[in-house]
Each structure stands twice: as C-alpha cells, then as structure tokens.
C-alpha cells in the first residue's frame, strides 16, 4: 500500500507512469468514456478547507471510473478535535477503499496515513499540493509536447503550490525558477530536495528577487494567491510585500513570446494576476483546472 502525500516520496519513473496514465484516461474519456476501473470502490473525502476543484474533480473522477465518493466536511469530522486523527483513519479504513484529505497542517495528513489501512491522498496541505502539480505537468505536456528542458518560473509566494511544482519540474527534467520577496522563498530543505532531483534529471533550480529576471527565459510563468487560506490575518502585510510580483502584460512582454501563464486558482484578480493575462491568449489556467480531473483519475 502506498500513500500520495508528497512527490518526494515517489520516484521519477512512478510519476512518469501517472502522467502517462492521465493522458490515456483523458483520451479514453474524450473518446466515449472511461472503463469502470474503480467499480465498487469508495473514496472518503475529508475536508478542513473549502474546495471547488479538489472536491468536484475527485468526486467526478470516481464517478467516471465507476466508483463513488463521500464528502466529509469540517462539521462531520473535526480532525484531532472531535476525535483523534488515528481514530478517524481507523474508522474510514473500514468503510472506504481510499481516503483523500484537504487539510491545513501537513502533519494531519501524515497522521491520517499512519493510522489508515487504505491509501491516503494529500488533496492539499500547508506544505504540499502534489495533486495540483501533477495536473500542471499534464497541462504543460499537452501544450508543449514535452516537459524536459522547459523553463518554469513561479512568481510569488514560496508556498505549498510552489514546493510541489518545483519538485515535479525537477522530476520531469525542467528548469525551475522562483521569484519571491525576501522572507517568502521556499525552505532550505525543500530547495535542496528540488535541487537533488533536478541534478539527476538534467534540470536546475534558481532563485530570483526580480519577477522580470525569473520570467525572461520562461516557457511557463506560474503564480498563486499571495494570501492562502489560514493566512488572512497577514493579508495586508503580504499584499505590501508582494507589490511588484503581479503577473501582468508588462511581465509577459519581457518573457519569450511563446510563454504561457498558469495559476492553480482561485485567482484574486488585480492582485497576483490581471484579468488581461488570466483571460488572455497565453493563459492555460482553465485547461489546467480541467486537467485536475484527469490527473486525479490517474492518481486514484
């Protein structure tokens, strides 16, 4: 039994296999529908945070594959509050064949996996967002026909999305750059994990303070919200810190003409990204969102 908590736990070969499966499952769906590969299987979905893409994509993925999903919100389960995380894991293991959890603290999903007798998927934690990163790689591959050798620039907060995207880029042989203000970069441990994988697969990792410098040779320019759920008390401080890190038309003009824009959503338009860019011809944002569905199928 294996859990899907952090891309660092998986080999590059395994991650390639997931992307190949996602491509095949998407083609199969578009050609008339998926085979019921998960017939009779139940996914238990545990949510501490509100969700659109994670909830709907996992639920629909199970339906497409012949299974069923049960949504359990914070009112039903208070992880570590109403009952212990270990007890929740044991109970759900008796009812379901797989668990997906979208949590605040990464150690909650780790504890859930330790107590579970069935596989656990990290639907999002404060440290990692591996499902999003796999959908991102699927989208980049669809657009460019490859991932290896491409330059992916993340503009903004060195958060969970940046951490998983950097890991994925390294595993697939891409060059990863992060432009973040002082104090908002990735942790040293995460950077070292990315750098180690990058060295093995012909990629690289670079840090910038200037978004323009990071995006100058980028094939993909990626951004995310400056204020994630749970950081609302820091909103004004963060928005001040990230002034100048907006993905806008000026930044795109300094990048290669073929560069595309990505965002994991929800987007706070007018802050980290402008309407002009989010809805423009270079945007892959909604193809990226749709691909959450097909990447999730492959992970399941």
């Amino acid at each position: 039994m294996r859990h899907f908590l952090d891309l660092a736990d998986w080999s590059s070969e395994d991650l390639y296999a997931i992307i190949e499966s996602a491509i095949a499952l998407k083609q199969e769906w578009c050609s008339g529908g998926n085979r019921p590969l998960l017939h009779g299987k139940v996914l238990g979905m545990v949510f501490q945070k509100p969700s659109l893409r994670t909830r709907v994509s996992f639920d629909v993925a199970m339906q497409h594959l012949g299974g069923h999903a049960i949504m359990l919100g914070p009112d039903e389960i208070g992880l570590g509050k109403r009952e212990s995380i270990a007890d929740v894991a044991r109970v759900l293991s008796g009812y379901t064949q797989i668990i997906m959890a979208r949590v605040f603290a990464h150690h909650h999903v780790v504890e859930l996996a330790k107590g579970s007798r069935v596989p656990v998927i990290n639907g999002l934690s404060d440290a990692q967002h591996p499902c999003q990163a796999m959908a991102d790689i699927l989208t980049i591959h669809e657009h460019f026909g490859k991932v290896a050798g491409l330059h992916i620039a993340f503009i903004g907060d060195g958060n969970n999305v940046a951490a998983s995207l950097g890991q994925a880029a390294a595993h697939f042989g891409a060059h990863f750059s992060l432009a973040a203000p002082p104090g908002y970069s990735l942790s040293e441990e995460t950077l070292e994990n990315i750098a180690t994988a990058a060295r093995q697969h012909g990629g690289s990792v670079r840090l910038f303070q200037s978004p323009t410098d990071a995006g100058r040779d980028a094939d993909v320019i990626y951004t995310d919200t400056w204020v994630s759920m749970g950081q609302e008390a820091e909103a004004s401080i963060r928005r001040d810190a990230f002034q100048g890190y907006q993905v806008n038309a000026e930044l795109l003009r300094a990048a290669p003409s073929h560069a595309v824009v990505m965002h994991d959503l929800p987007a706070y338009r007018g802050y980290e990204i402008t309407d002009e860019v989010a809805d423009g011809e270079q945007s892959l944002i909604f193809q990226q969102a749709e691909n959450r569905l097909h990447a999730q199928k492959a992970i399941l």
Side-chain angles (χ1 to χ4, degrees), residues 208-257:
F208 295 90
Q209 286 194 13
S210 165
T212 303
D213 290 344
R216 201 175 304 280
D217 61 357
D219 302 293
V220 177
I221 294 176
Y222 198 120
T223 191
D224 187 20
T225 178
W226 298 337
V227 185
S228 297
M229 281 181 281
Q231 298 174 335
E232 290 80 5
E234 307 171 37
S236 61
I237 296 172
R238 283 178 160 269
R239 285 171 182 156
D240 287 343
F242 285 100
Q243 290 302 311
Y245 286 81
Q246 184 183 76
V247 175
N248 52 32
E250 181 181 358
L251 182 67
L252 280 189
R253 282 194 292 270
S257 59

Side-chain angles (χ1 to χ4, degrees), residues 132-209:
Q132 178 66 55
M134 295 306 285
D136 298 338
I137 293 297
L138 173 60
T139 305
I140 292 167
H141 183 275
E142 282 182 341
H143 185 80
F144 290 100
K146 64 175 185 176
V147 179
L150 296 178
H151 289 257
I152 302 171
F154 190 98
I155 311 297
D157 191 16
N159 59 11
N160 50 358
V161 175
S164 290
L165 180 65
Q167 288 182 355
H171 276 289
F172 286 86
H175 304 284
F176 179 73
S177 299
L178 172 67
Y184 292 95
S185 187
L186 291 165
S187 70
E188 289 297 325
E189 180 182 2
T190 300
L191 286 170
E192 183 53 38
N193 286 339
I194 294 171
T196 299
R199 285 192 293 268
Q200 294 171 350
H201 300 289
S204 63
V205 57
R206 297 180 295 171
L207 299 179
F208 295 90
Q209 286 194 13

Side-chain angles (χ1 to χ4, degrees), residues 22-165:
I23 292 168
L25 287 165
K26 184 173 182 178
Q27 291 173 343
E28 185 181 67
W29 171 254
C30 294
S31 298
N34 294 126
R35 292 161 292 151
L37 301 174
L38 297 181
H39 175 71
K41 307 295 184 184
V42 178
L43 168 69
M45 303 190 296
V46 178
F47 288 91
Q48 288 183 328
K49 292 185 172 186
S51 175
L52 170 60
R53 281 152 295 279
T54 299
R55 176 181 177 179
V56 177
S57 59
F58 269 108
D59 195 332
V60 174
M62 287 298 291
Q63 292 182 44
H64 284 185
L65 295 174
H68 182 66
I70 298 173
M71 193 278 189
L72 298 162
D75 291 338
E76 288 87 9
I77 297 180
L79 284 179
K81 295 179 181 178
R82 182 170 177 267
E83 57 185 312
S84 73
I85 294 174
D87 285 356
V88 171
R90 293 187 186 102
V91 170
L92 286 178
S93 296
Y95 298 146
T96 69
Q97 285 68 54
I98 191 165
I99 299 167
M100 183 280 296
R102 179 178 169 89
V103 301
F104 284 99
H106 187 72
H107 70 85
H108 283 176
V109 76
V110 172
E111 288 181 45
L112 197 62
K114 286 180 179 178
S116 176
R117 302 191 309 274
V118 301
V120 174
I121 296 171
N122 178 5
L124 175 140
S125 70
D126 61 354
Q128 299 290 334
H129 200 350
C131 296
Q132 178 66 55
M134 295 306 285
D136 298 338
I137 293 297
L138 173 60
T139 305
I140 292 167
H141 183 275
E142 282 182 341
H143 185 80
F144 290 100
K146 64 175 185 176
V147 179
L150 296 178
H151 289 257
I152 302 171
F154 190 98
I155 311 297
D157 191 16
N159 59 11
N160 50 358
V161 175
S164 290
L165 180 65

